[in-house]
Amino acid sequence: MVSWTGEAPQGFPYWWEAFKNTPDPEDAAPPAKVDLLIIGAGFTGLSAAIAAHDTGARVAVVDAGNPGCGASTRNGGMFGAHPRLSHPKLTALFGEETADALFAEAGPAFAFVRDLMQREKIDCDYQATGRIQLAWTPAHAESQKTLAASVRSKSDVRIETVDETAMRREIGTERYYGGLLFPDHGAIHPAKFHRGLWTAALSRGIPVSANAPVTALDRDGVGFVATTPRGTIRAAKVVLATNGYTTRPFRWHMARVFPLPSFLIATEELSENLLGQLAPGRRMMVETRARHSYFRLSPDGKRILFGGRAAMRDIPLDRAARRQQATMAEIWPELADVRLSHVWTGYTGYSFTHMPHVGDEDGLHYALGFSGSGTVMAPYLGAKAAYRALGDARGKTAYAATPLRRHALHVMEKPHFLKAADLWYRTWVDSWDNLQARRGR
């Protein structure tokens, strides 16, 4: 049974506390005609809007709900860019040339978003914490050494391996067999970053319209006509930036990017001494086991924020909170009975290659499939999609060579296969991970 502090209702993200008593920026009516229409006002869409406007294009952004109410203000705020997959896996999927280019693009992607943050003077509690990937099994620790060698040889991203003894300086637990440290990665407050992008768009005179879902997108000669409840918009070009929240009429994209829920909890405020024991390295922390747990200190350094796979489908939030606290207590038994202040969920947009893609389908441009790496890749690839739509050479990216693919398991609009996948992971994969971890002791 979870004990609650009563600070927030279930479903209210911890990050939203920053703007609880602050009105949203002014809503704008959609214009009748633009050069570029962007569908989705999260990290991807707002960055695309800024990039397109600064080339001289007339731009508008529409969102089905409130701008940023999706994953952009619900994620863990971990800030870093490196391919989710190893170089051999990327080579098998896309060829060696593309794999090399994806690794090489990690540094420029990180630098692009840091520059955007600084150029627009976005105060989002950025902290250069570094991020450590924690090896759950001995085999995972060995794989990390191979990945470190690939990153060093194929990119300019700094990376260090951390042996089991040195882990004591990073985290107060005996659970892990080593780690992989990205010292240049950092932490942000995602809701503040989103608000900064929103403000930057509005300062340019870019109209951002809430509660304006695109219910139909039709061809009109060389351009498009978008139908929304708030009016019709004619656009020469369109960028789709909805990721895990993509719905009709974009069925082609729904078949290739599916929404995967991630569940997060925040603890009550903890003592400085306890937090110093639990997380002496004060890093962003992620695991190698298939639960995909990720955790960190809150920006004020007073709480643990803990997220990951409580389920691969929607479940009641009180059940998700129990599962996440139980997983957290496997790492830190001291937190088994700690009270929770928040629980919430959001959808990551997953591709079947686990890699993002920038491209176009029948003239409709998009940046989708961030697969859990959207804090940096969404604003970076949003700008790339805008440049590509406008024919700007700055749109060149290796992520145009990571095509979105269909899978035989996903034959309907909704990802019904996740019910079976959830059972498989919870009964077999998680048990296997834990067995391999115990055998290493």
Side-chain angles (χ1 to χ4, degrees):
M1 180 67 69
V2 173
S3 179
W4 297 95
T5 66
E7 293 174 60
Q10 290 188 12
F12 190 88
Y14 169 78
W15 306 118
W16 291 9
E17 296 286 350
F19 299 107
K20 182 185 285 187
N21 300 313
T22 304
D24 287 337
E26 186 175 353
D27 183 35
K33 186 175 182 180
V34 292
D35 298 320
L36 179 65
L37 174 65
I38 297 165
I39 304 171
F43 290 169
T44 312
L46 293 175
S47 178
I50 292 167
H53 173 275
D54 290 355
T55 68
R58 293 174 299 163
V59 186
V61 185
V62 295
D63 197 278
N66 201 47
C69 67
S72 291
T73 61
R74 294 173 179 270
N75 63 80
M78 297 187 178
F79 190 87
H82 65 282
R84 292 181 58 84
L85 303 181
S86 68
H87 192 273
K89 288 182 179 178
L90 290 175
T91 298
L93 284 169
F94 310 119
E96 186 171 7
E97 183 178 349
T98 297
D100 286 349
L102 291 168
F103 266 77
E105 204 164 341
F110 185 91
F112 174 89
V113 185
R114 281 291 287 136
D115 179 68
L116 175 64
M117 196 181 294
Q118 293 164 357
R119 187 176 71 247
E120 302 301 330
K121 297 180 173 58
I122 299 175
D123 181 4
C124 56
D125 299 335
Y126 179 80
Q127 297 171 310
T129 59
R131 172 161 50 177
I132 188 165
Q133 184 192 75
L134 306 161
W136 187 251
T137 72
H140 293 170
E142 289 302 311
S143 295
Q144 287 180 333
K145 295 175 185 177
T146 302
L147 176 59
S150 294
V151 172
R152 290 190 187 104
S153 66
K154 302 294 184 179
S155 77
D156 59 0
V157 173
R158 290 201 301 149
I159 192 169
E160 302 170 13
T161 53
V162 181
D163 64 29
E164 198 169 351
T165 302
M167 286 294 292
R168 297 190 184 96
R169 297 194 297 268
E170 299 293 343
I171 185 169
T173 183
E174 301 297 322
R175 282 286 188 176
Y176 301 108
Y177 291 85
L180 199 59
L181 175 62
F182 295 85
D184 295 327
H185 285 195
I188 64 170
H189 188 301
K192 290 184 179 180
F193 181 49
H194 178 268
R195 182 59 62 95
L197 291 174
W198 193 355
T199 301
L202 295 181
S203 72
R204 289 166 164 79
I206 300 171
V208 180
S209 305
N211 302 311
V214 173
T215 56
L217 186 67
D218 300 304
R219 283 286 191 175
D220 180 30
V222 296
F224 295 87
V225 176
T227 303
T228 82
R230 300 185 62 182
T232 298
I233 310 163
R234 295 183 180 276
K237 302 288 184 179
V238 179
V239 168
L240 183 65
T242 49
N243 203 39
Y245 294 79
T246 305
T247 58
R248 294 185 183 184
F250 306 105
R251 295 184 179 182
W252 186 92
H253 307 83
M254 292 171 66
R256 290 159 176 82
V257 175
F258 58 91
L260 188 66
S262 186
F263 298 88
L264 296 93
I265 56 174
T267 70
E268 63 183 325
E269 291 190 2
L270 305 174
S271 73
E272 186 176 349
N273 285 341
L274 177 57
L275 287 169
Q277 295 169 20
L278 300 177
R282 305 183 75 84
R283 309 282 193 190
M284 300 294 97
M285 294 169 276
V286 298
E287 286 188 338
T288 59
R289 62 172 160 169
R291 285 182 185 272
H292 295 297
S293 296
Y294 52 94
F295 36 97
R296 57 170 292 183
L297 299 186
S298 57
D300 62 8
K302 295 181 179 181
R303 306 171 192 255
I304 296 289
L305 309 181
F306 192 99
R309 175 177 56 80
M312 298 182 76
R313 56 191 179 89
D314 293 328
I315 60 173
L317 286 175
D318 58 347
R319 188 190 308 169
R322 289 196 300 272
R323 290 180 179 177
Q324 292 298 61
Q325 185 161 19
T327 303
M328 182 171 66
E330 290 179 8
I331 302 163
W332 292 307
E334 301 93 328
L335 301 183
D337 298 316
V338 71
R339 294 189 302 166
L340 302 183
S341 62
H342 297 74
V343 59
W344 71 100
T345 186
Y347 294 115
T348 57
Y350 252 79
S351 71
F352 287 102
T353 63
H354 295 191
M355 291 295 291
H357 179 58
V358 172
D360 71 278
E361 167 60 20
D362 194 25
L364 172 59
H365 290 263
Y366 58 85
L368 299 170
F370 300 114
S371 304
S373 61
T375 309
V376 167
M377 297 313 298
Y380 174 68
L381 293 179
K384 291 292 186 181
Y387 290 141
R388 288 170 60 86
L390 297 172
D392 190 300
R394 286 173 289 181
K396 183 179 180 180
T397 173
Y399 287 91
T402 59
L404 297 178
R405 296 172 180 169
R406 296 202 68 169
H407 195 285
L409 291 175
H410 189 23
V411 295
M412 305 179 75
E413 286 186 3
K414 293 185 178 181
H416 296 293
F417 67 92
L418 289 178
K419 294 180 180 179
D422 183 56
L423 181 64
W424 168 257
Y425 271 84
R426 287 181 55 78
T427 58
W428 169 249
V429 178
D430 292 343
S431 298
W432 177 253
D433 272 353
N434 290 337
L435 176 62
Q436 295 305 301
R438 288 196 298 272
R439 282 179 174 174
R441 296 300 176 195

